[in-house]
Amino acid sequence: MKYLQITGEQELKGSVKISGAKNATLPILAACLLIKGKVTLTNIPLVSDIYTMIELLSNLGAKCLIDEHSVCIDSSNITSTKALYEIVSKMRASILVLGPLLSRFNECEVSLPGGCAIGQRPIDLHLKALAKLGAKIELKEGYVKASGKLKAANITFDKITVGGTENAILAAVYAEGVTIINNAAMEPEIINLCEFLELAGVKIEGIGSKCLKIHGVKELKSDFTCKIIPDRIEAGTYLCAGAITNSEITITNVNPNHLLAVIDKLNELGVMLDVQEDKISTKKYKKLNSCNIQTSEYPGFPTDMQAQFMALCLCASSDCIIDERLFENRFMHVAELQRMGANISLNNHLAIVKPSKLSAAQVMATDLRASSALVLAALAAKGTSKISRIYHLQRGYEDLCLKLQSLGAKISLKDENDDK
Ligand code: EPZ
């Protein structure tokens, strides 16, 4: 088993290039299933979740060719419309193939994703939206079986859902008429998906707003290239790395407009930033203030940055309160941070984070963002920490170890077998 060894209290320096957004690439890869031809995606991140989605598409019959940070997908000859449990259970975002498969083939079977470390994460809202479009839906033997020729409808989400909005958009593509999606999620990743569909010839009104209008089509264009947006969560994580080590680092290939809530909270903590068109630098500070955070849907503070900010708040000069509003179990990192000396108390969805002297420990990653919080804490802690189960990190952070090494961090990727 691989693990990360990190010796903390090292000042960082230099610049790091941010990869393409995992959470934009995943729905766009699913969208490729709609197209009877080839499309190319550039700036894709080379992380394991992307390989899982490519494995799923290949299993359905798509031809997928990765060349460095580009992938060419040809979905001309789809041979199956069944997304198998063996693949879907590796990654919940596999559920995003439901909308495009149903829209193009009028039937599909997608395994239910099963348990998740950060909360229940039901897919009821996805299914309700598809039913509104006329799908007949059955849950049988652990699979969602959906069928029917879809027709445009007026969908209003009871609750804002990123994946639900993406599935509804994808399903609406071949539905006859204009589908209206109200209370849609407004994340930049959804905008990237809409831009991809526009390149394929779909007319979409209201891109980036809470109300989307998707004009159904009979055919889509192929042979175009779509660029994936920079990963705002990876960017935010490196800004936290600069902040927690009180260092001057620069992140490049970013879109600061996608990071406004994160930038605001860093400023509130006293971390000043030099923000330019596509790069951001952290500056040194005298002391970290405190701040309170409530996670919410975009453009609010992202739940995917909550764990990293918790690590940073441990270094603040007074108490910080973190209110997790999106997922009910997204405090798995707390017990591990406590092993590093963190003084955090939990009360339902609230975490009270007190100033703490962090010290190195052996800790275990529990989910993707929780793992990055442990890395950040280890960068600030006195001594050498060991973080195991790092496959969670590899799901969403490309070359994390190399990128941090290039900033001067004392971090190395080790194998337990070599220690014996
Ligand atoms: C996306 O998950 C992201 N994943 C998550 O990132 C992110 O944390 C989340 O959005 C919120 O920003 C991808 O984009 C692949 P939701 P998603 O549907 O779409 C409830 C990461 O670390 N809900 O917006 O699954 C749900 O339980 C990952 O990269 C229902 O009740 O999130 C949650 O409380 C983790 N019924 C809330 O809505 C449904 O049918 C928001 O979830 C769907 C969702």
Side-chain angles (χ1 to χ4, degrees):
M1 282 285 250
K2 295 244 191 300
Y3 67 92
L4 282 175
Q5 182 173 292
I6 302 177
T7 303
E9 294 187 307
Q10 185 70 32
E11 194 176 325
L12 307 183
K13 209 173 140 189
S15 84
V16 75
K17 186 177 174 212
I18 299 305
S19 299
K22 162 182 89 74
N23 290 347
T25 314
L26 291 170
I28 293 179
L29 281 170
C32 290
L33 288 170
L34 289 164
I35 296 173
K36 293 173 204 151
K38 281 186 191 168
V39 283
T40 303
L41 310 180
T42 59
N43 198 35
I44 66 161
L46 301 178
V47 295
S48 64
D49 272 8
I50 299 305
Y51 293 118
T52 303
M53 187 57 109
I54 288 175
E55 182 190 355
L56 177 55
L57 297 193
S58 304
N59 195 265
L60 298 172
K63 300 260 175 301
C64 309
L65 208 67
I66 300 183
D67 180 15
E68 299 203 346
H69 288 87
S70 295
V71 64
C72 175
I73 310 282
D74 184 350
S75 304
S76 305
N77 297 307
I78 295 299
T79 48
S80 162
T81 55
K82 183 167 180 173
L84 299 172
Y85 174 72
E86 288 71 16
I87 306 178
V88 176
S89 59
K90 285 194 208 170
M91 183 186 67
R92 299 188 65 81
S94 308
I95 198 68
L96 295 172
V97 301
L98 187 57
L101 285 176
L102 180 61
S103 194
R104 177 168 163 197
F105 300 103
N106 303 328
E107 59 168 21
C108 68
E109 283 180 57
V110 179
S111 168
L112 285 162
C116 177
I118 63 174
Q120 276 195 20
R121 303 186 73 186
I123 55 156
D124 56 318
L125 301 173
H126 299 232
L127 302 185
K128 226 170 140 184
L130 297 183
K132 261 277 170 129
L133 291 165
K136 182 172 165 255
I137 295 189
E138 276 181 290
L139 299 182
K140 228 172 156 185
E141 294 159 352
Y143 278 76
V144 179
K145 296 191 179 195
S147 58
K149 172 101 192 83
L150 303 185
K151 270 210 147 113
N154 205 327
I155 299 164
T156 300
F157 280 108
D158 296 333
K159 182 175 179 179
I160 298 176
T161 155
V162 175
T165 302
E166 289 164 347
N167 244 332
I169 294 171
L170 292 165
V173 166
Y174 286 120
E176 195 190 327
V178 182
T179 295
I180 300 177
I181 305 177
N182 293 305
N183 206 23
M186 300 193 290
E187 268 67 3
E189 292 75 17
I190 293 188
I191 300 180
N192 207 180
L193 173 65
C194 290
E195 285 164 353
F196 170 90
L197 292 172
E198 283 194 312
L199 288 169
V202 185
K203 182 175 170 196
I204 304 179
E205 294 175 73
I207 295 178
S209 79
K210 268 178 181 281
C211 176
L212 296 167
K213 290 184 186 160
I214 293 119
H215 294 245
V217 293
K218 288 215 164 70
E219 266 188 297
L220 289 176
K221 292 182 210 159
S222 60
D223 299 298
F224 62 87
T225 298
C226 174
K227 187 172 178 193
I228 302 297
I229 56 170
D231 195 310
R232 63 195 167 100
I233 306 301
E234 190 199 14
T237 304
Y238 282 98
L239 289 178
C240 286
I244 207 165
T245 54
N246 198 6
S247 305
E248 298 197 332
I249 65 160
T250 300
I251 55 169
T252 62
N253 185 36
V254 288
N255 185 339
N257 292 327
H258 296 164
L259 281 156
L260 296 180
V262 168
I263 291 172
D264 262 9
K265 285 296 161 193
L266 285 170
N267 288 163
E268 214 175 308
L269 279 164
V271 183
M272 288 305 141
L273 303 166
D274 178 16
V275 181
Q276 295 190 18
E277 202 184 325
D278 62 352
K279 61 181 180 183
I280 307 176
S281 305
T282 54
K283 293 187 178 166
K284 281 177 179 284
Y285 50 83
K286 290 230 164 58
K287 73 170 178 99
L288 273 189
N289 309 322
S290 64
C291 78
N292 295 332
I293 291 172
Q294 190 181 95
T295 64
S296 76
E297 298 85 6
Y298 190 84
F301 187 89
T303 172
D304 289 348
M305 282 303 301
Q306 178 258 109
Q308 300 90 316
F309 265 74
M310 188 178 288
L312 185 55
C313 287
L314 288 166
C315 305
S317 47
S318 54
D319 294 5
C320 302
I321 298 173
I322 298 184
D323 185 353
E324 172 56 57
R325 287 297 175 109
L326 265 82
F327 293 107
E328 70 270 21
N329 195 24
R330 214 172 191 180
F331 283 139
M332 301 276 283
H333 41 286
V334 170
E336 297 301 304
L337 288 171
Q338 283 166 339
R339 305 195 67 248
M340 300 178 79
N343 186 350
I344 303 169
S345 47
L346 291 181
N347 185 357
N348 291 319
H349 50 87
L350 292 183
I352 295 129
V353 184
K354 294 187 180 294
S356 311
K357 185 89 196 100
L358 293 172
S359 54
Q362 202 166 327
V363 289
M364 211 162 65
T366 49
D367 78 68
L368 172 56
R369 309 305 170 186
S371 322
S372 59
L374 299 180
V375 171
L376 293 173
L379 289 174
K382 188 176 177 58
T384 301
S385 298
K386 177 177 167 181
I387 304 175
S388 57
R389 300 204 179 164
I390 55 153
Y391 48 83
H392 288 293
L393 275 171
Q394 291 162 342
R395 293 184 61 171
Y397 290 94
E398 181 175 342
D399 289 339
L400 177 98
C401 188
L402 286 177
K403 286 187 184 184
L404 282 172
Q405 275 171 354
S406 77
L407 291 173
K410 284 193 180 157
I411 178 170
S412 47
L413 184 60
K414 301 235 170 194
D415 198 317
E416 264 158 18
N417 292 327
D418 300 338
D419 298 344
K420 285 174 189 155

